[in-house]
């Protein structure tokens, strides 16, 4: 199973970006999907998660500004980021809990990350 994230870049404060992540490979089902981020010198933190039933959870720092969504048919998860702030600068990683064909348990997979820089 591979996760490929895209959509990062440089944006001015107050701007918007949309991240996308596609899961591919031996996939029977995906339960939770999410976005995490890691800023220089800091630990990786959860930004937003979404279950297969589309129940969402957000970090307090992004509530009201970021929206996570998913397309189960395409095995994709998205993160719409609005009103971006310099403190949102980080490498963003997508994550998925995947049950593969032939398995009866889920495994965590991570994408390689995409850089988001918020700066004027």
């Amino acid at each position: 199973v591979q996760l490929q994230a895209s959509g990062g870049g440089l944006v001015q404060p107050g701007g918007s970006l949309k991240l996308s992540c596609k899961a591919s490979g031996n996939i029977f089902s995906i339960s939770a999907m999410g976005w995490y981020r890691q800023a220089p010198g800091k630990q990786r933190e959860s930004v937003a998660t979404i279950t297969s039933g589309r129940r969402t959870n957000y970090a307090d720092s992004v509530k009201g500004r970021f929206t996570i969504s998913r397309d189960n048919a395409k095995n994709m998860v998205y993160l719409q980021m609005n009103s971006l702030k310099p403190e949102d600068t980080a490498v963003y990683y997508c994550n998925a809990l995947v049950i593969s064909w032939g398995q009866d348990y889920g495994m965590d997979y991570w994408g390689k990350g995409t850089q988001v820089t918020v700066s004027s």
Side-chain angles (χ1 to χ4, degrees):
V1 176
Q2 298 84 38
L3 271 63
Q4 181 65 50
S6 61
L10 173 64
V11 63
Q12 292 187 342
S16 298
L17 281 175
K18 185 174 184 177
L19 305 182
S20 301
C21 177
K22 181 173 179 60
S24 61
N26 181 7
I27 299 171
F28 172 70
S29 67
I30 303 176
S31 54
M33 303 185 83
W35 290 95
Y36 294 72
R37 67 186 180 187
Q38 187 167 18
K42 295 187 177 181
Q43 290 188 332
R44 188 175 298 190
E45 63 175 355
S46 174
V47 176
T49 59
I50 184 168
T51 67
S52 57
R54 292 183 171 80
R55 185 171 59 195
T56 59
N57 188 61
Y58 295 93
D60 287 343
S61 59
V62 307
K63 282 181 180 176
R65 300 188 297 122
F66 291 11
T67 302
I68 189 170
S69 61
R70 64 188 283 175
D71 185 330
N72 290 335
K74 296 181 179 179
N75 292 331
M76 294 194 70
V77 62
Y78 307 95
L79 186 68
Q80 177 67 47
M81 305 185 292
N82 299 328
S83 302
L84 282 160
K85 304 175 181 180
E87 50 263 44
D88 294 318
T89 296
V91 177
Y92 284 70
Y93 299 89
C94 60
N95 169 267
L97 183 60
V98 177
I99 300 176
S100 296
W101 290 95
Q103 294 180 340
D104 58 2
Y105 56 89
M107 289 187 64
D108 247 355
Y109 292 92
W110 292 88
K112 287 188 177 180
T114 184
Q115 177 70 47
V116 172
T117 302
V118 185
S119 175
S120 55

